[in-house]
Structure formats: C-alpha cells, structure tokens
Amino acid sequence: MMKLATGKLPFATLNTNERNSVLQPIELMNVIIEEPQIKLPMGQFSQNLIDFVNRCLRKMPALRLSGQDLLQCPDQNRHQF
C-alpha cells in the first residue's frame, strides 16, 4: 500500500540508489528490524488511508491486524480512501 500510494518502499534505506539491487532475505529482515516504520504524509492522503496503512505496517505482529481483520475493515470494504 505504501509503495502504491507514494512510489516508495516503507523503509527509507530501501529507497536509496545504492539499494537498487535485489536484497538478500537476511538483509531485508535486518532493515525491517532496525529501521523505524515510515508513515504516509499527513495532508496528502485521507486519514482513513493513513490509518489503514499504519495498521498494515506495524512491526510487532501482536499489534498488527491479521489479513482477515484487514479485509473486514469497514473503510477498506467501502473504498473510502
């Protein structure tokens, strides 16, 4: 969702020119673990879309909604982004 909305990956270091090559899985895991999550810019997107993307990108699985929960999100189902 982040890439579709902004054209950028959800972690800043993945968007640098030196990262244009394909990352190995362990490198990608390190970026996900070590780098803070970026968020959609306020004012450019609806609050519904910002909240939905934030719920999708939470690092801790216990805080992230399941795929089934996300499919049942009322805003997602009504396309109110």
Side-chain angles (χ1 to χ4, degrees), residues 5 16 18 39 41 54 57 62 64 74-75:
T16 63
E18 60 204 43
K39 299 181 180 199
N54 286 341
L57 293 178
R64 189 171 50 233
D75 296 324

Side-chain angles (χ1 to χ4, degrees), residues 5 9 30 37 40 47 50 53-54 56 59-60 64 70 72 76:
L9 296 169
N30 282 334
Q37 169 192 328
L40 289 175
Q47 190 60 49
I50 291 170
V53 170
N54 286 341
C56 291
K59 287 186 172 193
M60 293 182 60
R64 189 171 50 233
L70 290 169
Q72 294 177 8
Q76 187 271 342

Side-chain angles (χ1 to χ4, degrees), residues 34-78:
E34 295 173 6
E35 192 170 323
Q37 169 192 328
I38 61 174
K39 299 181 180 199
L40 289 175
M42 299 293 277
Q44 293 182 10
F45 301 98
S46 72
Q47 190 60 49
N48 289 341
L49 180 61
I50 291 170
D51 292 342
F52 183 78
V53 170
N54 286 341
R55 286 182 274 182
C56 291
L57 293 178
R58 289 184 180 148
K59 287 186 172 193
M60 293 182 60
L63 299 176
R64 189 171 50 233
L65 296 176
S66 71
Q68 189 63 33
D69 291 336
L70 290 169
L71 287 174
Q72 294 177 8
C73 174
D75 296 324
Q76 187 271 342
N77 288 330
R78 285 186 262 143

